[in-house]
Amino acid sequence: MQLNETHDPGLRSWVPSANAQDADFPVQNLPFAAFRMKGEAAFRIGVAIGDAIVDLSHPGVAMLLEPQIAEACRASTLNDLMALGPAAWSRGRLNLSRALRAGNAQADRVGAALLPQAGAEYRLPARIGDYSDFYTSIFHASAVGRLMRPDQPLLPNYKWIPIAYHGRASSVCVSDSEISRPIGQIRVPGADAPAVAASQRLDYEVELGVFIGVGNVRGQPIPIRDAWKHVFGVVLLNDWSARDIQAWEYQPLGPFLSKSFATTVSPWAVTAEALLPFRGPWLRAADDPQPLPYLQDLAERSSGALDIVLEASIQTAAMRAKKLAPVRLSRTSSRHAYWTIAQMVTHHTSNGCNLRTGDLLGTGTQSGPTPGEAGSLLELTVGGREPLAVSSGESRTFLEDGDEVCLRGVCEREGFARIGLGTAIGRVLPVHAPQ
Amino acid sequence: MQLNETHDPGLRSWVPSANAQDADFPVQNLPFAAFRMKGEAAFRIGVAIGDAIVDLSHPGVAMLLEPQIAEACRASTLNDLMALGPAAWSRGRLNLSRALRAGNAQADRVGAALLPQAGAEYRLPARIGDYSDFYTSIFHASAVGRLMRPDQPLLPNYKWIPIAYHGRASSVCVSDSEISRPIGQIRVPGADAPAVAASQRLDYEVELGVFIGVGNVRGQPIPIRDAWKHVFGVVLLNDWSARDIQAWEYQPLGPFLSKSFATTVSPWAVTAEALLPFRGPWLRAADDPQPLPYLQDLAERSSGALDIVLEASIQTAAMRAKKLAPVRLSRTSSRHAYWTIAQMVTHHTSNGCNLRTGDLLGTGTQSGPTPGEAGSLLELTVGGREPLAVSSGESRTFLEDGDEVCLRGVCEREGFARIGLGTAIGRVLPVHAPQ
């Protein structure tokens, strides 16, 4: 994968909104989603351009694409396109880029396939086979570790092995899906026995989600030099977490119901190719151990990290009533991750485990080195001990009913067009049923 | 769900092999699988009877079934049938039971749909959405706990909460699939750093797998009184485990690559209805805490436990060369489980997590109270410290290349026909690739 004409910062689109300074979806981005217009039954595949969607099932667009790619784009999720592999993705992206550039002679034909994002609704970009969640931020791992083990915040394995757990695929949902507060077994500190109650320590986690394009055969690991070829694209991911349920259930097999009630992802999968200009050297201190050989690669060392600026904001019910804008909770970059996306892919398959098209890998909470860069309330409020002021008169330790959490991701680099990931939004509703 | 004419121990089949004393698949069983005959491309659905398979896609059989059920049985996995729900499963089973009984007038027509199991091969019974693995044996949890925490073998949460972790669905495979020894990061005790090596502590785990028939909507938990209605059937499950990889990776988020290289299940899903006669009171000592209300149910208390006798046997490469029969490693019953299948289902959904048709729940290693009832080598060899003699001249601490592990499950109770689960077999092959 290398920079090509689609990355040219001078490109402009004949779709005016794509040329705005703060557009998430300029012609250099071209992310993919599964969408339908409100009131429609069936979902289609589209590409975002400015505030519009190019309907890839439209005959006027399909004829611009290679037949195999056009056929894959007539599906209702991205799985078929994902399965075609990086060369096909790149060729299709080039065709779409050319068709959407200012001055393109086919603008009229493609224009007939444009739909407004404002009238669209989304489903998950792909049918997700398995969802695995990593723990790539050393700052998050250390902060959580300090709360639980002040004497040994970082476990001895952290700098050697990309820690991860299997997540729950069934409850991954797209932005704007309802998030009911979970109930579960909770043992209040000092109590003899647990009780069943609504979670009082409901949290969000700012993550990236990585969609696997082409999988691997069981028993055939993916070498790190090939790992990026298996990555279709990236979304925002909010790994909602019930800290009180987690504290009681997680020994000895890890988090289960504290995570599996819901995981929210943004609808637009930003392709690995579009993100290419925003890669840089991986994080590793001089006295850290070098990654073991299977996680080592010269190219990856110099360009494995991905600089996506990630923001979380909150709008409470009271703020909505007063028409107050959401306020930012934190801002960091995924470049602070200790383990890269390629290392996640390679480690995951190193035992022979097979990834499949549409599988989702989470990066784990992305936190940076300073306090304002923490990607969860658990960290921002020091385990709930230091409430955070969120607006006039309100503060939070953990999430309350009515709170809406919005994640955003943006890539900016001198000499390149700004690339946005859109938003992943979820509003906390009361518990799902009377107890 | 209640006993009905299909459970009558006096029933005999016109398929002679189904009437043998030691048949796994008498006419009282009627388990479902996805199969094809060797050399065929497409898979079909079948029901086992003695040493034969009734091809449910055969027109002569389809006409015995309700149209909706016949349609579901024309698929290539059981998902469509599973989605129809317990009333339909029961009616379909009754029709098949009648058609296969001795003296049935339609025997000739059904006979045309019979195929020999000896010529068949299988795939997974269902497309599995998510796989979750529980930890329901208190004897297993205590034995493993003794190895890791001699001062506190059983963690404080064990008797309150059915512990589980999300597993890996992609690498669940059907009996007879190849099991390559995994490689991974291993830190030898006392070493400063881990190294990448083939697992030297490869183990099996004797479990039951539970296939979910009808799922639930996200946010709507399944009450315990309804839990069994969501269970289509049960298979044998071998949760292959690399103990040395697990020991290094599992803190703080639980097992990951130590489990995800392969999980083997038996091909025949034995229906919850067929297993009805083998249910009994759940295990709970007088001084144990009572389950919390959401895990309590009078019927479940008296009939939640499932008495399936589970055996693991091994045949090494040397034994095969000498034509020595496999030897038994352990024998126990799933009735010793501390948490029941209904409690697994209800707990899993108690936070609002949605189960889907075809989801697989593992029970976790089933071990009984005595040493010979331990369902893993980790327990049988006390963490690898006490080698186990397996045949003339050979012993094992953990599995070696060429070892074939076979799980069997059988239900027997005075006054009822014997019901078998068949076998789940896997042979350990050398590591998948040069390192």
Side-chain angles (χ1 to χ4, degrees):
Chain A
M1 208 165 24
Q2 49 192 9
L3 292 180
N4 59 39
E5 64 173 81
T6 67
H7 298 99
D8 181 346
L11 298 179
R12 294 175 65 81
S13 174
W14 49 262
V15 179
S17 59
N19 303 319
Q21 283 286 336
D22 61 348
D24 270 359
F25 308 131
V27 71
Q28 291 86 354
N29 190 346
L30 305 178
F32 291 80
F35 79 101
R36 66 182 173 194
M37 300 310 287
K38 282 165 192 159
E40 290 179 347
F43 284 88
R44 294 169 277 173
I45 293 179
V47 155
I49 182 77
D51 60 8
I53 302 174
V54 184
D55 174 2
L56 297 189
S57 72
H58 191 283
V61 179
M63 67 180 300
L64 302 174
L65 300 169
E66 296 170 22
Q68 187 188 32
I69 297 174
E71 173 66 29
C73 289
R74 273 193 287 275
S76 61
T77 66
L78 298 178
N79 295 70
D80 292 353
L81 177 64
M82 288 169 157
L84 293 181
W89 309 332
S90 188
R91 295 195 306 273
R93 189 166 175 278
L94 180 60
N95 290 337
L96 291 167
S97 169
R98 288 177 177 165
L100 289 163
R101 291 178 199 167
N104 183 278
Q106 292 163 317
D108 280 356
R109 195 150 56 193
V110 178
L114 279 198
L115 295 162
Q117 284 170 30
E121 49 193 24
Y122 302 93
R123 66 152 74 169
L124 291 173
R127 288 187 311 278
I128 299 168
D130 279 284
Y131 160 47
S132 306
D133 202 13
F134 282 77
Y135 199 54
T136 66
S137 167
I138 195 169
F139 303 106
H140 171 70
S142 300
V144 173
R146 264 193 301 277
L147 293 172
M148 303 178 67
R149 299 173 303 273
D151 52 325
Q152 189 193 36
L154 206 60
L155 290 167
N157 56 9
Y158 190 86
K159 291 186 176 179
W160 293 99
I161 190 166
I163 295 290
Y165 68 99
H166 306 295
R168 179 80 195 173
S170 74
S171 52
V172 178
C173 52
V174 77
S175 183
D176 284 321
S177 300
E178 298 183 350
I179 307 300
S180 294
R181 179 179 299 274
I183 59 175
Q185 285 196 29
I186 295 167
R187 191 175 68 167
V188 179
D192 282 344
V196 175
S199 172
Q200 296 304 307
R201 291 165 71 88
L202 180 60
D203 203 354
Y204 66 89
E205 292 193 331
V206 178
E207 304 194 14
L208 292 174
V210 177
F211 274 107
I212 296 300
V214 181
N216 62 304
V217 172
R218 191 169 67 89
Q220 296 183 9
I222 298 173
I224 191 153
R225 67 177 174 279
D226 294 336
W228 275 102
K229 298 176 190 162
H230 294 261
V231 174
F232 177 80
V234 169
V235 292
L236 298 162
L237 186 151
N238 182 344
D239 181 32
W240 305 94
S241 300
R243 305 298 180 190
D244 37 12
I245 296 174
Q246 188 172 355
W248 174 238
E249 76 170 1
Y250 91 105
Q251 292 282 19
L253 300 180
F256 186 54
L257 300 190
S258 53
K259 303 278 194 176
S260 64
F261 56 97
T263 306
T264 298
V265 299
S266 56
W268 292 104
V270 175
T271 63
E273 189 172 89
L275 294 169
L276 207 47
F278 308 98
R279 287 168 51 178
W282 71 30
L283 177 80
R284 190 103 358 187
D287 57 348
D288 280 351
Q290 285 303 305
L292 290 168
Y294 77 105
L295 298 173
Q296 280 274 18
D297 181 70
L298 274 182
E300 184 66 9
R301 176 187 292 266
S302 61
S303 67
L306 194 51
D307 185 11
I308 302 180
V309 174
L310 297 164
E311 278 194 20
S313 63
I314 190 170
Q315 191 184 41
T316 69
M319 291 166 72
R320 274 194 303 281
K322 295 180 197 166
K323 302 200 188 305
L324 295 174
V327 293
R328 185 198 292 167
L329 292 166
S330 67
R331 185 169 194 267
T332 188
S333 166
S334 56
R335 74 184 169 86
H336 297 302
Y338 197 81
W339 297 104
T340 69
I341 289 173
Q343 287 170 327
M344 287 163 52
V345 168
T346 291
H347 181 66
H348 203 318
T349 63
S350 63
N351 67 338
C353 180
N354 54 321
L355 300 178
R356 296 179 292 189
T357 295
D359 279 355
L360 179 65
L361 312 188
T363 57
T365 309
Q366 297 294 287
S367 298
T370 66
E373 292 180 281
S376 69
L377 284 172
L378 183 72
E379 295 159 82
L380 290 170
T381 68
V382 193
R385 291 198 293 268
E386 300 179 8
L388 196 70
V390 292
S391 70
S392 54
E394 280 195 291
S395 68
R396 287 289 181 272
T397 49
F398 291 97
L399 296 171
E400 298 189 6
D401 292 349
D403 287 354
E404 186 169 286
V405 177
C406 175
L407 309 189
R408 286 176 189 280
V410 170
C411 303
E412 289 179 311
R413 181 179 160 199
E414 187 68 32
F416 288 93
R418 177 186 191 277
I419 298 286
L421 275 72
T423 55
I425 295 174
R427 188 181 295 185
V428 176
L429 302 183
V431 291
H432 41 69
Q435 292 164 52
Chain B
M1 206 164 27
Q2 49 193 8
L3 292 179
N4 59 39
E5 64 174 79
T6 66
H7 298 99
D8 181 346
L11 298 179
R12 293 175 65 81
S13 174
W14 49 261
V15 179
S17 59
N19 304 319
Q21 281 286 337
D22 62 346
D24 271 357
F25 308 131
V27 71
Q28 291 86 354
N29 191 345
L30 305 177
F32 291 80
F35 79 100
R36 66 182 174 194
M37 300 310 288
K38 283 167 192 159
E40 290 179 346
F43 284 87
R44 293 170 276 173
I45 294 179
V47 155
I49 182 77
D51 59 8
I53 302 174
V54 185
D55 174 2
L56 297 189
S57 72
H58 190 284
V61 178
M63 65 180 302
L64 301 174
L65 300 170
E66 295 170 23
Q68 187 188 32
I69 296 173
E71 174 65 29
C73 288
R74 273 192 288 275
S76 62
T77 66
L78 299 179
N79 295 71
D80 291 353
L81 177 63
M82 288 170 158
L84 294 182
W89 308 331
S90 188
R91 294 196 307 271
R93 190 165 174 278
L94 179 60
N95 290 338
L96 291 167
S97 169
R98 289 176 176 166
L100 289 163
R101 291 179 200 166
N104 183 276
Q106 293 162 318
D108 279 357
R109 197 149 55 193
V110 179
L114 280 198
L115 295 161
Q117 284 169 31
E121 49 194 23
Y122 302 93
R123 65 152 73 169
L124 290 173
R127 289 187 310 279
I128 298 168
D130 279 284
Y131 160 47
S132 305
D133 202 14
F134 282 77
Y135 199 53
T136 66
S137 167
I138 196 169
F139 303 106
H140 172 68
S142 301
V144 173
R146 264 192 300 277
L147 292 172
M148 302 178 68
R149 298 174 303 274
D151 52 327
Q152 188 192 35
L154 206 60
L155 290 167
N157 56 9
Y158 190 86
K159 291 185 176 180
W160 293 98
I161 191 167
I163 296 290
Y165 69 99
H166 306 295
R168 179 79 194 173
S170 74
S171 51
V172 179
C173 52
V174 76
S175 183
D176 283 322
S177 299
E178 297 183 350
I179 307 300
S180 295
R181 179 178 299 273
I183 58 175
Q185 286 197 28
I186 295 167
R187 191 175 69 166
V188 178
D192 283 343
V196 176
S199 172
Q200 295 305 308
R201 292 166 71 89
L202 180 60
D203 203 354
Y204 66 89
E205 292 193 330
V206 178
E207 304 194 13
L208 291 174
V210 177
F211 274 107
I212 297 299
V214 181
N216 62 304
V217 172
R218 190 169 67 88
Q220 296 182 10
I222 297 174
I224 191 154
R225 66 178 176 278
D226 294 335
W228 275 102
K229 298 176 191 163
H230 295 261
V231 174
F232 177 80
V234 168
V235 291
L236 299 162
L237 186 151
N238 182 344
D239 182 31
W240 305 93
S241 299
R243 305 296 181 191
D244 38 11
I245 295 175
Q246 187 172 356
W248 175 237
E249 76 171 0
Y250 91 105
Q251 292 281 18
L253 299 180
F256 186 54
L257 300 190
S258 52
K259 302 277 193 174
S260 63
F261 55 97
T263 306
T264 298
V265 297
S266 55
W268 292 104
V270 175
T271 63
E273 188 172 89
L275 294 170
L276 208 46
F278 308 98
R279 287 168 53 178
W282 70 29
L283 176 83
R284 190 105 356 189
D287 57 348
D288 280 351
Q290 286 303 305
L292 288 168
Y294 77 105
L295 297 173
Q296 279 276 16
D297 182 70
L298 274 182
E300 184 66 8
R301 176 187 292 267
S302 61
S303 66
L306 195 51
D307 184 12
I308 302 179
V309 174
L310 296 164
E311 278 194 21
S313 63
I314 190 170
Q315 190 184 43
T316 68
M319 290 165 72
R320 275 193 304 281
K322 294 180 197 165
K323 302 198 188 306
L324 295 174
V327 292
R328 184 198 293 168
L329 291 166
S330 67
R331 185 169 194 267
T332 187
S333 165
S334 56
R335 74 185 168 86
H336 297 302
Y338 196 80
W339 297 104
T340 68
I341 288 173
Q343 287 171 327
M344 288 162 52
V345 168
T346 291
H347 181 66
H348 203 319
T349 63
S350 63
N351 68 338
C353 180
N354 53 321
L355 300 178
R356 295 179 292 189
T357 296
D359 280 355
L360 179 65
L361 312 188
T363 57
T365 309
Q366 298 294 288
S367 297
T370 67
E373 293 179 279
S376 69
L377 284 172
L378 183 72
E379 295 159 82
L380 291 170
T381 69
V382 193
R385 290 198 294 268
E386 301 178 8
L388 196 71
V390 292
S391 70
S392 53
E394 280 194 292
S395 67
R396 286 292 180 272
T397 48
F398 291 97
L399 296 171
E400 298 190 6
D401 291 351
D403 288 354
E404 187 170 284
V405 177
C406 174
L407 309 189
R408 286 177 189 278
V410 170
C411 303
E412 288 178 312
R413 180 179 160 199
E414 186 69 32
F416 288 93
R418 178 185 190 277
I419 298 287
L421 275 72
T423 55
I425 296 173
R427 189 181 296 185
V428 177
L429 302 182
V431 290
H432 42 69
Q435 294 163 55

